Amino acid sequence: MNTASAPILQVKGLSKRFGGFVALDDIDLDVGQGERLGLIGPNGSGKSTLVNCICGTLQNETGTVHFNGHALNGAPAHKRTHLGLARSFQLPRPFASMTVADNIRVPLLYTVRQRTGLVHSHIDLGRRCVELLALVGLEHLAERSPRDLSQVDMRKLELARAVASEPKLLIADEAMAGLSHSEVEDIVQLLLRLNKDEGITVILIEHIMRAVMSFSQRLAVLVSGRKIADGKPDEVVNNPQVVSAYLGQ
Ligand code: ADP
Ligand code: MG
């Protein structure tokens, strides 16, 4: 983590229950400005629940979340988006009746309205939409329906929609599940570009370990709602507790 600046995201003592079931138990997690963090753990270990608590889709019972100097507790999801938090969903949810380009214009328009209180000119909006399509490599599919997209292109659209809100932090929740070897590499390269060229801090939640290892500067591991390791990727994957709880499965 870059220790020279304050963390962009600071989660402290966060717990979340569903009825009597403890999904997250006293989670601490700091993410540095510009960092690439891998978040791994078995299915059901609480990764998506943590994302939902950070992004405001779910409210945690205890603990605090600070983002870019703001205390987020209780803030609704749209306010967190406005502050620069974005996530992609495990199952992409594009508007099926709109074109690929319009699927990007919707969050763009929303962001511009939120930031400036004005409706941007169609020219500016169109230009940014073209930039985003190019960034993810979907220019040639701009006027198609999301229904026509392959799985990997659907993931790229999902990431473009998240990036349209001009996030400071992007959380990619299993953006590569079900993709081929080369498609996984494609998405890793795209996330690296977002981090290096656009300066976006990224949390990558992923099971595909070669993707996790090539992308992450640091790894955190959740098992049964608890963080059991957090550190340098090569040390974390050799940690006996991590091997027995997750990687050795
Ligand atoms: P992961 O993303 O690591 O696979 P999740 O965060 O989705 O895990 O789920 C963690 C646990 O919380 C699982 O046991 C899951 O069944 C449970 N869970 C998640 N969301 C809900 C919900 N809305 N209501 C009840 N239980 C939930
Ligand atoms: Mg999940």
Side-chain angles (χ1 to χ4, degrees):
M1 191 168 70
N2 179 1
T3 47
S5 59
I8 189 163
L9 179 74
Q10 206 164 21
V11 175
K12 272 209 171 83
L14 188 149
S15 299
K16 175 70 193 168
R17 289 171 176 273
F18 296 111
F21 174 72
V22 180
L24 292 171
D25 186 7
D26 197 21
I27 302 292
D28 292 333
L29 184 70
D30 282 5
V31 184
Q33 194 99 36
E35 197 178 16
R36 300 190 303 274
L37 175 79
L39 179 61
I40 61 173
N43 281 326
S45 57
K47 303 179 299 295
S48 294
T49 301
L50 180 58
V51 176
N52 287 330
C53 290
I54 292 170
C55 295
T57 321
L58 290 172
Q59 298 293 334
N60 41 294
E61 283 94 30
T62 64
T64 57
V65 180
H66 282 81
F67 175 68
N68 207 26
H70 299 269
L72 294 188
N73 296 77
H78 68 88
K79 176 153 188 243
R80 301 183 194 213
T81 306
H82 178 45
L83 291 173
L85 249 173
R87 57 94 59 90
S88 66
F89 285 91
Q90 227 166 316
L91 299 171
R93 304 169 182 179
F95 300 114
S97 62
M98 293 182 182
T99 64
V100 167
D102 282 342
N103 262 280
I104 295 174
R105 282 191 195 105
V106 170
L108 271 178
L109 193 60
Y110 174 77
T111 304
V112 170
R113 274 199 187 133
Q114 285 276 314
R115 297 255 155 91
T116 64
L118 298 167
V119 178
H120 238 38
S121 80
H122 285 293
I123 296 168
D124 289 349
L125 209 66
R127 190 181 303 135
R128 184 64 184 146
C129 180
V130 169
E131 277 174 14
L132 285 168
L133 284 165
L135 186 69
V136 300
L138 292 181
E139 310 96 307
H140 59 300
L141 298 170
E143 297 312 316
R144 302 287 285 273
S145 159
R147 291 193 196 94
D148 301 334
L149 298 187
S150 66
Q151 262 231 68
V152 66
D153 288 339
M154 190 75 100
R155 304 301 173 107
K156 289 177 182 173
L157 173 59
E158 177 71 3
L159 289 170
R161 284 166 52 77
V163 173
S165 67
E166 294 177 16
K168 296 181 176 75
L169 171 65
L170 170 67
I171 306 178
D173 192 355
E174 298 202 26
M176 308 176 198
L179 301 184
S180 74
H181 197 288
S182 65
E183 290 168 342
V184 165
E185 188 50 33
D186 242 23
I187 299 289
V188 169
Q189 290 304 322
L190 169 53
L191 291 172
L192 283 171
R193 281 202 300 281
L194 295 177
N195 175 252
K196 289 179 176 161
D197 301 346
E198 309 280 310
I200 301 172
T201 305
V202 181
I203 299 178
L204 173 67
I205 297 178
E206 195 48 70
H207 287 291
I208 304 166
M209 284 310 290
R210 71 189 143 75
V212 171
M213 293 307 281
S214 69
F215 181 80
S216 310
Q217 296 166 316
R218 184 161 63 96
L219 276 189
V221 188
L222 287 190
V223 174
S224 304
R226 287 171 172 262
K227 190 174 84 171
I228 64 160
D230 185 339
K232 289 186 181 149
D234 52 344
E235 290 173 11
V236 167
V237 295
N238 288 306
N239 173 330
Q241 216 191 335
V242 174
V243 172
S244 74
Y246 178 50
L247 296 174
Q249 285 181 343

